[in-house]
PDB file of all heavy atoms in Angstrom:
ATOM      1  N   VAL A  15     123.361 229.643 141.247  1.00 75.00           N
ATOM      2  CA  VAL A  15     124.596 230.404 141.466  1.00 75.00           C
ATOM      3  C   VAL A  15     125.023 230.288 142.922  1.00 75.00           C
ATOM      4  O   VAL A  15     126.195 230.046 143.232  1.00 75.00           O
ATOM      5  CB  VAL A  15     124.409 231.881 141.059  1.00 75.00           C
ATOM      6  CG1 VAL A  15     125.573 232.740 141.531  1.00 75.00           C
ATOM      7  CG2 VAL A  15     124.225 232.009 139.549  1.00 75.00           C
ATOM      8  N   LEU A  16     124.076 230.432 143.839  1.00 76.00           N
ATOM      9  CA  LEU A  16     124.376 230.330 145.263  1.00 76.00           C
ATOM     10  C   LEU A  16     124.909 228.939 145.619  1.00 76.00           C
ATOM     11  O   LEU A  16     125.885 228.809 146.363  1.00 76.00           O
ATOM     12  CB  LEU A  16     123.127 230.647 146.092  1.00 76.00           C
ATOM     13  CG  LEU A  16     123.291 230.607 147.604  1.00 76.00           C
ATOM     14  CD1 LEU A  16     124.319 231.629 148.071  1.00 76.00           C
ATOM     15  CD2 LEU A  16     121.960 230.873 148.276  1.00 76.00           C
ATOM     16  N   LEU A  17     124.285 227.898 145.070  1.00 77.00           N
ATOM     17  CA  LEU A  17     124.762 226.544 145.336  1.00 77.00           C
ATOM     18  C   LEU A  17     126.182 226.351 144.824  1.00 77.00           C
ATOM     19  O   LEU A  17     127.009 225.719 145.479  1.00 77.00           O
ATOM     20  CB  LEU A  17     123.825 225.513 144.707  1.00 77.00           C
ATOM     21  CG  LEU A  17     122.502 225.308 145.421  1.00 77.00           C
ATOM     22  CD1 LEU A  17     121.587 224.403 144.596  1.00 77.00           C
ATOM     23  CD2 LEU A  17     122.710 224.726 146.800  1.00 77.00           C
ATOM     24  N   GLY A  18     126.468 226.891 143.653  1.00 80.00           N
ATOM     25  CA  GLY A  18     127.821 226.793 143.105  1.00 80.00           C
ATOM     26  C   GLY A  18     128.839 227.499 143.987  1.00 80.00           C
ATOM     27  O   GLY A  18     129.944 226.995 144.222  1.00 80.00           O
ATOM     28  N   GLU A  19     128.480 228.678 144.474  1.00 81.00           N
ATOM     29  CA  GLU A  19     129.379 229.427 145.366  1.00 81.00           C
ATOM     30  C   GLU A  19     129.612 228.658 146.665  1.00 81.00           C
ATOM     31  O   GLU A  19     130.739 228.586 147.158  1.00 81.00           O
ATOM     32  CB  GLU A  19     128.802 230.806 145.661  1.00 81.00           C
ATOM     33  CG  GLU A  19     128.827 231.744 144.475  1.00 81.00           C
ATOM     34  CD  GLU A  19     128.064 233.046 144.721  1.00 81.00           C
ATOM     35  OE1 GLU A  19     127.510 233.219 145.829  1.00 81.00           O
ATOM     36  OE2 GLU A  19     128.038 233.874 143.803  1.00 81.00           O
ATOM     37  N   CYS A  20     128.552 228.098 147.220  1.00 79.00           N
ATOM     38  CA  CYS A  20     128.682 227.322 148.462  1.00 79.00           C
ATOM     39  C   CYS A  20     129.541 226.082 148.242  1.00 79.00           C
ATOM     40  O   CYS A  20     130.383 225.752 149.082  1.00 79.00           O
ATOM     41  CB  CYS A  20     127.310 226.917 148.989  1.00 79.00           C
ATOM     42  SG  CYS A  20     126.383 228.279 149.713  1.00 79.00           S
ATOM     43  N   ALA A  21     129.329 225.413 147.124  1.00 80.00           N
ATOM     44  CA  ALA A  21     130.099 224.196 146.839  1.00 80.00           C
ATOM     45  C   ALA A  21     131.589 224.505 146.755  1.00 80.00           C
ATOM     46  O   ALA A  21     132.411 223.788 147.335  1.00 80.00           O
ATOM     47  CB  ALA A  21     129.601 223.558 145.547  1.00 80.00           C
ATOM     48  N   SER A  22     131.947 225.575 146.064  1.00 82.00           N
ATOM     49  CA  SER A  22     133.371 225.897 145.935  1.00 82.00           C
ATOM     50  C   SER A  22     133.952 226.375 147.265  1.00 82.00           C
ATOM     51  O   SER A  22     135.106 226.101 147.577  1.00 82.00           O
ATOM     52  CB  SER A  22     133.597 226.930 144.834  1.00 82.00           C
ATOM     53  OG  SER A  22     132.975 228.150 145.162  1.00 82.00           O
ATOM     54  N   LYS A  23     133.154 227.063 148.056  1.00 84.00           N
ATOM     55  CA  LYS A  23     133.641 227.573 149.338  1.00 84.00           C
ATOM     56  C   LYS A  23     133.839 226.456 150.370  1.00 84.00           C
ATOM     57  O   LYS A  23     134.819 226.447 151.110  1.00 84.00           O
ATOM     58  CB  LYS A  23     132.658 228.605 149.897  1.00 84.00           C
ATOM     59  CG  LYS A  23     133.067 229.197 151.229  1.00 84.00           C
ATOM     60  CD  LYS A  23     132.093 230.251 151.703  1.00 84.00           C
ATOM     61  CE  LYS A  23     132.504 230.826 153.035  1.00 84.00           C
ATOM     62  NZ  LYS A  23     131.571 231.865 153.491  1.00 84.00           N
ATOM     63  N   PHE A  24     132.898 225.504 150.408  1.00 83.00           N
ATOM     64  CA  PHE A  24     132.931 224.486 151.457  1.00 83.00           C
ATOM     65  C   PHE A  24     133.511 223.146 151.014  1.00 83.00           C
ATOM     66  O   PHE A  24     133.690 222.255 151.838  1.00 83.00           O
ATOM     67  CB  PHE A  24     131.532 224.277 152.033  1.00 83.00           C
ATOM     68  CG  PHE A  24     131.024 225.482 152.772  1.00 83.00           C
ATOM     69  CD1 PHE A  24     130.003 226.263 152.255  1.00 83.00           C
ATOM     70  CD2 PHE A  24     131.591 225.854 153.979  1.00 83.00           C
ATOM     71  CE1 PHE A  24     129.547 227.381 152.925  1.00 83.00           C
ATOM     72  CE2 PHE A  24     131.145 226.978 154.662  1.00 83.00           C
ATOM     73  CZ  PHE A  24     130.122 227.739 154.133  1.00 83.00           C
ATOM     74  N   ALA A  25     133.833 222.978 149.745  1.00 83.00           N
ATOM     75  CA  ALA A  25     134.351 221.700 149.250  1.00 83.00           C
ATOM     76  C   ALA A  25     135.578 221.220 150.023  1.00 83.00           C
ATOM     77  O   ALA A  25     135.638 220.048 150.415  1.00 83.00           O
ATOM     78  CB  ALA A  25     134.636 221.774 147.749  1.00 83.00           C
ATOM     79  N   PRO A  26     136.570 222.087 150.282  1.00 86.00           N
ATOM     80  CA  PRO A  26     137.735 221.596 151.035  1.00 86.00           C
ATOM     81  C   PRO A  26     137.364 221.108 152.437  1.00 86.00           C
ATOM     82  O   PRO A  26     137.868 220.084 152.900  1.00 86.00           O
ATOM     83  CB  PRO A  26     138.660 222.816 151.114  1.00 86.00           C
ATOM     84  CG  PRO A  26     138.250 223.684 149.971  1.00 86.00           C
ATOM     85  CD  PRO A  26     136.763 223.465 149.827  1.00 86.00           C
ATOM     86  N   ARG A  27     136.483 221.808 153.105  1.00 87.00           N
ATOM     87  CA  ARG A  27     136.079 221.393 154.456  1.00 87.00           C
ATOM     88  C   ARG A  27     135.300 220.085 154.411  1.00 87.00           C
ATOM     89  O   ARG A  27     135.457 219.230 155.286  1.00 87.00           O
ATOM     90  CB  ARG A  27     135.236 222.479 155.114  1.00 87.00           C
ATOM     91  CG  ARG A  27     136.037 223.716 155.448  1.00 87.00           C
ATOM     92  CD  ARG A  27     135.179 224.748 156.104  1.00 87.00           C
ATOM     93  NE  ARG A  27     135.961 225.953 156.387  1.00 87.00           N
ATOM     94  CZ  ARG A  27     135.431 227.112 156.634  1.00 87.00           C
ATOM     95  NH1 ARG A  27     134.128 227.261 156.656  1.00 87.00           N
ATOM     96  NH2 ARG A  27     136.203 228.149 156.886  1.00 87.00           N
ATOM     97  N   LEU A  28     134.431 219.951 153.420  1.00 83.00           N
ATOM     98  CA  LEU A  28     133.661 218.718 153.284  1.00 83.00           C
ATOM     99  C   LEU A  28     134.573 217.540 152.964  1.00 83.00           C
ATOM    100  O   LEU A  28     134.362 216.428 153.461  1.00 83.00           O
ATOM    101  CB  LEU A  28     132.573 218.866 152.223  1.00 83.00           C
ATOM    102  CG  LEU A  28     131.449 219.833 152.591  1.00 83.00           C
ATOM    103  CD1 LEU A  28     130.511 220.041 151.401  1.00 83.00           C
ATOM    104  CD2 LEU A  28     130.680 219.331 153.801  1.00 83.00           C
ATOM    105  N   SER A  29     135.608 217.776 152.168  1.00 88.00           N
ATOM    106  CA  SER A  29     136.579 216.718 151.871  1.00 88.00           C
ATOM    107  C   SER A  29     137.304 216.292 153.138  1.00 88.00           C
ATOM    108  O   SER A  29     137.519 215.101 153.363  1.00 88.00           O
ATOM    109  CB  SER A  29     137.579 217.192 150.821  1.00 88.00           C
ATOM    110  OG  SER A  29     136.946 217.382 149.589  1.00 88.00           O
ATOM    111  N   ASP A  30     137.694 217.263 153.956  1.00 90.00           N
ATOM    112  CA  ASP A  30     138.352 216.944 155.228  1.00 90.00           C
ATOM    113  C   ASP A  30     137.433 216.134 156.131  1.00 90.00           C
ATOM    114  O   ASP A  30     137.858 215.160 156.758  1.00 90.00           O
ATOM    115  CB  ASP A  30     138.776 218.223 155.961  1.00 90.00           C
ATOM    116  CG  ASP A  30     139.907 218.963 155.267  1.00 90.00           C
ATOM    117  OD1 ASP A  30     140.587 218.360 154.411  1.00 90.00           O
ATOM    118  OD2 ASP A  30     140.100 220.152 155.590  1.00 90.00           O
ATOM    119  N   LEU A  31     136.168 216.526 156.190  1.00 88.00           N
ATOM    120  CA  LEU A  31     135.199 215.803 157.008  1.00 88.00           C
ATOM    121  C   LEU A  31     135.016 214.375 156.497  1.00 88.00           C
ATOM    122  O   LEU A  31     134.986 213.429 157.281  1.00 88.00           O
ATOM    123  CB  LEU A  31     133.853 216.534 157.025  1.00 88.00           C
ATOM    124  CG  LEU A  31     132.723 215.847 157.779  1.00 88.00           C
ATOM    125  CD1 LEU A  31     133.071 215.641 159.253  1.00 88.00           C
ATOM    126  CD2 LEU A  31     131.432 216.628 157.631  1.00 88.00           C
ATOM    127  N   ALA A  32     134.924 214.215 155.194  1.00 87.00           N
ATOM    128  CA  ALA A  32     134.762 212.880 154.614  1.00 87.00           C
ATOM    129  C   ALA A  32     135.961 211.991 154.957  1.00 87.00           C
ATOM    130  O   ALA A  32     135.788 210.827 155.341  1.00 87.00           O
ATOM    131  CB  ALA A  32     134.579 212.977 153.104  1.00 87.00           C
ATOM    132  N   ARG A  33     137.170 212.538 154.840  1.00 90.00           N
ATOM    133  CA  ARG A  33     138.369 211.765 155.189  1.00 90.00           C
ATOM    134  C   ARG A  33     138.362 211.380 156.669  1.00 90.00           C
ATOM    135  O   ARG A  33     138.720 210.258 157.038  1.00 90.00           O
ATOM    136  CB  ARG A  33     139.630 212.556 154.846  1.00 90.00           C
ATOM    137  CG  ARG A  33     140.019 212.474 153.378  1.00 90.00           C
ATOM    138  CD  ARG A  33     141.423 213.027 153.141  1.00 90.00           C
ATOM    139  NE  ARG A  33     141.445 214.486 153.222  1.00 90.00           N
ATOM    140  CZ  ARG A  33     141.076 215.301 152.246  1.00 90.00           C
ATOM    141  NH1 ARG A  33     140.646 214.810 151.111  1.00 90.00           N
ATOM    142  NH2 ARG A  33     141.146 216.607 152.395  1.00 90.00           N
TER     143      ARG A  33
END
Side-chain angles (χ1 to χ4, degrees):
V15 169
L16 181 61
L17 285 172
E19 290 172 0
C20 287
S22 64
K23 180 177 180 179
F24 294 109
R27 291 181 182 162
L28 292 173
S29 293
D30 291 343
L31 177 60
R33 279 192 286 280

